[in-house]
Amino acid sequence: MAQRVPSTDLLARLAALEEQVATLRRTGWERDELPLYPTAYTAMAFSDATVFDTLWEGVLSPRTASLSLGLTLVGDQVAGVNTGGAWQVLFNGSVVWSGTALPSFTVQYASAVLDLLPYRGQSQLLVEIQTRRTSGATTGGRNGNGGSIGLSPRFARLL
């Protein structure tokens, strides 16, 4: 098998490096999708808990500067009573983004770019998406405990 001896000429190495950088600039940024896994039994995870309940989670090695995350939320309606709630995103147990699910039976979309720089020194980062019911019916509904809040990630990209 032929052996290749690397060039020791500084100008030749610099020219090759400049060519590689130019190629990278032409191709643009690469984005990696972060897989998030449901902790419930449905594709759109629902929770009727009145305390925060983890619906989606994933573990990553924080090698990039940020995580672009998009969520889909929907409230519930039980016997004409609309259900509202709250949701939050946690990194290793600390809340980094939160919001409310309106007390209506409509779909909501939320998106943000979350900073991963404080976690770059860690080998693993647990990402959790949680929700809870804050208003609505207290009986009936999907699981019998009142209205539910549905939450599903639309996208999770490492930038």
Side-chain angles (χ1 to χ4, degrees):
M1 181 184 269
Q3 295 287 330
R4 183 172 174 207
V5 178
S7 173
T8 57
D9 180 20
L10 179 61
L11 293 177
R13 291 175 56 204
L14 183 59
L17 184 60
E18 286 177 342
E19 182 181 336
Q20 290 173 353
V21 169
T23 302
L24 288 173
R25 285 185 180 155
R26 284 191 301 270
T27 58
W29 286 359
E30 298 247 348
R31 297 180 178 187
D32 293 329
E33 290 288 328
L34 172 66
L36 294 169
Y37 301 99
T39 59
Y41 52 86
T42 58
M44 167 72 88
F46 285 86
S47 174
D48 57 12
T50 55
V51 296
F52 279 108
D53 188 21
T54 300
L55 298 181
W56 295 86
E57 65 184 8
V59 177
L60 68 110
S61 295
R63 298 181 315 266
T64 61
S66 57
L67 170 66
S68 177
L69 184 61
L71 304 176
T72 302
L73 299 112
V74 64
D76 198 0
Q77 189 178 66
V78 178
V81 178
N82 290 328
T83 300
W87 56 267
Q88 61 187 15
V89 177
L90 291 84
F91 287 170
N92 283 348
S94 298
V95 177
V96 294
W97 185 35
S98 62
T100 59
L102 298 175
S104 62
F105 197 53
T106 58
V107 177
Q108 297 172 253
Y109 300 102
S111 63
V113 176
L114 306 173
D115 186 18
L116 293 178
L117 291 177
Y119 307 96
R120 293 279 301 263
Q122 299 177 8
S123 61
Q124 292 183 341
L125 178 65
L126 175 63
V127 178
E128 295 176 273
I129 304 172
Q130 300 179 337
T131 188
R132 70 176 175 167
R133 176 173 51 91
T134 58
S135 66
T138 56
T139 60
R142 182 176 188 90
N143 298 317
N145 299 321
S148 301
I149 302 298
L151 187 144
S152 180
R154 287 184 297 140
F155 57 87
R157 294 184 192 105
L158 296 166
L159 303 176

